[in-house]
Amino acid sequence: LKVKGDTDGLDWDDDEKAEQERTQRLAEEKDGFRAWLEAEMASIADGTFKEYSDAIFRGGAESLLTPYERRRMMMEVAEAHGLYTLAPKGTGRAPGRHRFSLERTPGISENDVNPPPGCVKIYNLKKFSQDMTKKLDAIEAGGRLVVNEPLSIIETAVVSILCLDRNLVVQAERWGKGERLVIHDTGSFAKGLSAKLDSLGEGSSVS
């Protein structure tokens, strides 16, 4: 370590000042990016989505905010706004899933609705979610709900997530020329099975 006045190294005061300036720049950049995210999420109309390219997360050459931190902040703000996200893995580190991550739906990552690697889609499906939530919460123990109306791939994924959070079982059935969803409340069986699955350790099994 070099001490103040040592001409062979940086002055400690200069080091501390540079670190303080860097910390302040980073905080200002975070605040600016969060403000932009808040405005972006608020601008997505109900029933629509926006797609964000990988370039948004890379930032500029002078940016102190890492691509990971930018992605993490976007997911955080989207979740706070009650928006669903679809983000296939890119080439770098990815944030963990949140409760509105459409990747929680089995098979969604292999579907062609996915944006290119590294990009993110944000969906506003608040009214659809609210309407479906009322129907799901009205299912009696041991009962079922039949959804005859045609749903998009994303709407079906949202239904799957809502059911997953309620320990409901979703089954797709052929209906006429298409399919319909039948949602079952299997009562204590599903809850017990869910508890067993949650308690499974790596390499263990349940029978």
Side-chain angles (χ1 to χ4, degrees), residues 112-201:
D112 58 8
V113 298
N114 280 275
C119 301
V120 176
K121 282 184 177 179
I122 309 287
Y123 293 84
N124 183 339
L125 291 169
K126 290 181 181 178
K127 186 178 186 306
F128 175 80
S129 296
Q130 291 167 359
D131 292 345
M132 186 56 63
T133 295
K134 291 179 182 178
K135 294 178 181 179
L136 296 177
D137 290 343
I139 302 175
E140 297 181 357
R144 70 173 191 165
L145 170 68
V146 178
V147 183
N148 287 320
E149 61 264 30
L151 301 178
S152 69
I153 294 172
I154 297 300
E155 288 172 336
T156 301
V158 170
V159 172
S160 295
I161 289 175
L162 293 174
C163 290
L164 181 65
D165 293 339
R166 289 165 174 76
N167 293 309
L168 300 174
V169 177
V170 184
Q171 181 181 9
E173 293 182 347
R174 288 194 174 277
W175 183 252
K177 296 181 179 180
E179 287 186 340
R180 69 177 184 178
L181 294 182
V182 182
I183 301 163
H184 301 269
D185 184 337
T186 55
S188 59
F189 172 77
K191 294 177 182 177
L193 180 59
S194 179
K196 286 184 177 181
L197 293 175
D198 288 342
S199 66
L200 278 178

Side-chain angles (χ1 to χ4, degrees), residues 1 4 9 18 28 55 70 72 90 129 137 155 171 176 178 191 206:
L1 292 176
K4 186 174 181 179
E28 291 173 352
R70 287 172 178 266
R72 188 199 65 77
S129 296
D137 290 343
E155 288 172 336
Q171 181 181 9
K191 294 177 182 177
V206 63

Side-chain angles (χ1 to χ4, degrees), residues 23-86:
T23 300
Q24 182 177 350
R25 278 183 55 206
L26 179 59
E28 291 173 352
E29 188 174 358
K30 279 186 176 181
D31 289 344
F33 188 62
R34 183 173 293 277
W36 178 81
L37 286 173
E38 292 285 352
E40 278 294 306
M41 299 303 105
S43 72
I44 304 176
D46 194 9
T48 67
F49 74 93
K50 281 190 176 182
E51 182 172 331
Y52 298 90
S53 71
D54 184 58
I56 289 174
F57 305 108
R58 292 198 301 269
E62 302 298 321
S63 176
L64 296 176
L65 205 54
T66 65
Y68 169 80
E69 185 64 13
R70 287 172 178 266
R71 290 178 187 278
R72 188 199 65 77
M73 290 175 65
M74 175 172 278
M75 299 304 171
E76 181 181 280
V77 175
E79 182 181 14
H81 281 256
L83 305 178
Y84 289 88
T85 65
L86 184 58

